[in-house]
Amino acid sequence: MKKQQVRRQEDNMGKNIDWSNLGFGYVKTDYRYVSNFKNGAWDEGTLSTDDMVTISECACVLQYAQTVFEGMKAYTTEDGRIVVFRPDLNAERMENSAKRLEMPVFPKDRFVDAIVKLVEANADYVPPYGSGATLYIRPYMFGTNAVIGVKPADEYQFRAFCTPVGPYFKGGVKPITIRVSDFDRAAPRGTGHIKAGLNYAMSLHAIMDAHRQGFDENMYLDPATRTKVEETGGANFLFVTKDNKVVTPKSDSILPSITRRSLVYVAKEYLGLEVEEREVYFDEVKDFAECGLCGTAAVISPVGKIVDHGKEICMPSGMTEMGPVTKKLYETLTGIQMGRLEAPEGWIKVIR
Ligand SMILES: *Cc1c(COP(=O)(O)O)cnc(C)c1O
């Protein structure tokens, strides 16, 4: 084991965290990054040990849900470095989200700098290589001043905290069962393409209902025609055809997943696979060989079964393991993230 890696593991032991038994829950870390927007400008921003937010009871975020967020991860690589995966894309996506909700943009270079400072300050909470655990990073922004008539706030807070999270596939990969939802996720020409809390507030009933009926997730169809596959509540679809083509749905109301975009690149450039980004009709799903859900949390979560009002579609890849192409995609992307495989230019932001 390299010296740097040994030191990292000793650091981690100092926090007394049982990395392999961590779940996906909030664990308070030492520092968070905070910057406030007032009189038309962002202040210089700072790290803070205060995990509490104090705002007006009439804050725009509390009355009208004016808030956007991001999610990404920091990892310890095989050679003991701490890295973050493509934070520039999170910065760009948050810019688009903010503009759609009439919020000021937190500049991209400042966003990346905030993430670097946050992870550096909480380096002891970055799980060691091989533990399967990661440091989840949550940047977000919200309207803070009192607003009672419907209009955007003019004061905002940008904040980023991080929390260590356990391995997504504890005790091995297990394909999930999903259902076609009777609820819609995003209206055509609505806000489905931005990462805003409002899209999640209205999905809470749909996901709890799915769980009560014994399903892991909802497959949302396009609300206009209910014939095309959109996404789930928090992950994009990736399908594999019987002749090993990767197919991923294209729609203006799908959230542009950074994981999905990275997997498409990996499929083409690392694995030499053909990729189609296009409208995907639900009628086609029964003919696919593999199905996975892509997002930062799991990278790819395999789908074994899709249920449409009692009619079951059982993916040929089955209920015990990832399909072969999904698995290759998963191993290649996680290999890039963990430093086992060479990354495309600009994909890995080294913290230290
Ligand atoms: C965040 C999110 C995803 C996944 O995006 P990643 O950038 O890959 O984490 C997919 N769908 C929705 C609705 C999301 O909010």
Side-chain angles (χ1 to χ4, degrees), residues 109-121:
D109 55 333
R110 286 209 50 198
F111 180 103
V112 174
D113 181 59
I115 301 309
V116 170
K117 288 197 167 92
L118 173 77
V119 176
E120 260 174 357

Side-chain angles (χ1 to χ4, degrees), residues 93 185 195 200 231 233-236 255 257-259 294-296:
R93 194 167 62 187
R185 190 192 86 89
K195 215 164 172 74
Y200 280 78
E231 60 171 321
N236 288 179
L255 192 285
S257 158
I258 294 165
T259 314
C294 343
T296 294

Side-chain angles (χ1 to χ4, degrees), residues 5-277:
Q5 199 174 329
V6 173
R7 201 196 65 233
R8 292 271 320 112
Q9 295 202 343
E10 283 164 359
D11 285 353
N12 291 331
M13 278 179 235
K15 291 293 177 191
N16 251 328
I17 296 172
D18 181 2
W19 304 110
S20 56
N21 282 314
L22 268 177
F24 195 91
Y26 173 73
V27 174
K28 186 179 145 188
T29 60
D30 297 341
Y31 296 97
R32 65 279 305 122
Y33 182 92
V34 185
S35 181
N36 291 298
F37 182 90
K38 202 175 172 170
N39 301 323
W42 290 102
D43 67 13
E44 64 182 15
T46 184
L47 289 170
S48 166
T49 55
D50 188 359
D51 60 322
M52 292 293 159
V53 177
T54 306
I55 51 175
S56 165
E57 63 184 355
C58 198
C60 197
V61 58
L62 299 179
Q63 305 310 322
Y64 303 124
Q66 197 188 20
T67 176
V68 296
F69 70 100
E70 273 303 324
M72 72 192 100
K73 283 174 166 182
Y75 320 81
T76 304
T77 59
E78 191 172 32
D79 64 356
R81 291 171 302 157
I82 295 175
V83 303
V84 178
F85 185 68
R86 310 189 79 179
D88 52 320
L89 295 191
N90 295 94
E92 284 169 14
R93 194 167 62 187
M94 193 177 215
E95 176 172 343
N96 293 332
S97 300
K99 284 178 177 163
R100 181 64 177 77
L101 294 193
E102 290 291 333
M103 301 167 84
V105 168
F106 194 70
K108 180 171 161 179
D109 55 333
R110 286 209 50 198
F111 180 103
V112 174
D113 181 59
I115 301 309
V116 170
K117 288 197 167 92
L118 173 77
V119 176
E120 260 174 357
N122 293 294
D124 291 356
Y125 291 96
V126 185
Y129 176 76
S131 65
T134 53
L135 186 73
Y136 183 75
I137 304 166
R138 168 57 57 85
Y140 58 118
M141 196 201 291
F142 47 96
T144 54
N145 64 296
V147 162
I148 194 76
V150 179
K151 63 173 183 186
D154 34 48
E155 293 175 13
Y156 294 86
Q157 186 166 101
F158 170 88
R159 240 177 135 87
F161 67 80
C162 55
T163 185
V165 295
Y168 192 86
F169 299 114
K170 242 183 231 173
V173 173
K174 205 180 162 298
I176 59 170
T177 300
I178 66 176
R179 69 160 186 196
V180 174
S181 175
D182 284 330
F183 300 102
D184 293 325
R185 190 192 86 89
R189 297 172 290 279
T191 54
H193 61 299
I194 63 163
K195 215 164 172 74
L198 57 91
N199 289 329
Y200 280 78
M202 56 97 223
S203 77
L204 296 175
H205 175 63
I207 191 65
M208 291 309 288
D209 187 59
H211 290 168
R212 285 189 286 264
Q213 312 285 330
F215 302 102
D216 298 298
E217 265 295 350
N218 285 305
M219 170 187 269
Y220 291 106
L221 302 180
D222 73 299
T225 70
R226 308 206 119 250
T227 57
K228 289 174 273 186
V229 177
E230 293 255 299
E231 60 171 321
T232 66
N236 288 179
F237 278 105
L238 205 142
F239 298 100
V240 182
T241 64
K242 285 177 177 143
D243 55 355
N244 287 351
K245 248 187 264 169
V246 173
V247 179
T248 184
K250 188 171 177 164
S251 152
D252 290 341
S253 45
I254 290 177
L255 192 285
S257 158
I258 294 165
T259 314
R260 188 250 305 157
R261 286 182 272 162
S262 303
L263 286 165
V264 161
Y265 183 91
V266 161
K268 287 182 193 159
E269 304 299 327
Y270 282 64
L271 304 176
L273 297 170
E274 216 176 297
V275 179
E276 290 177 358
E277 292 179 68

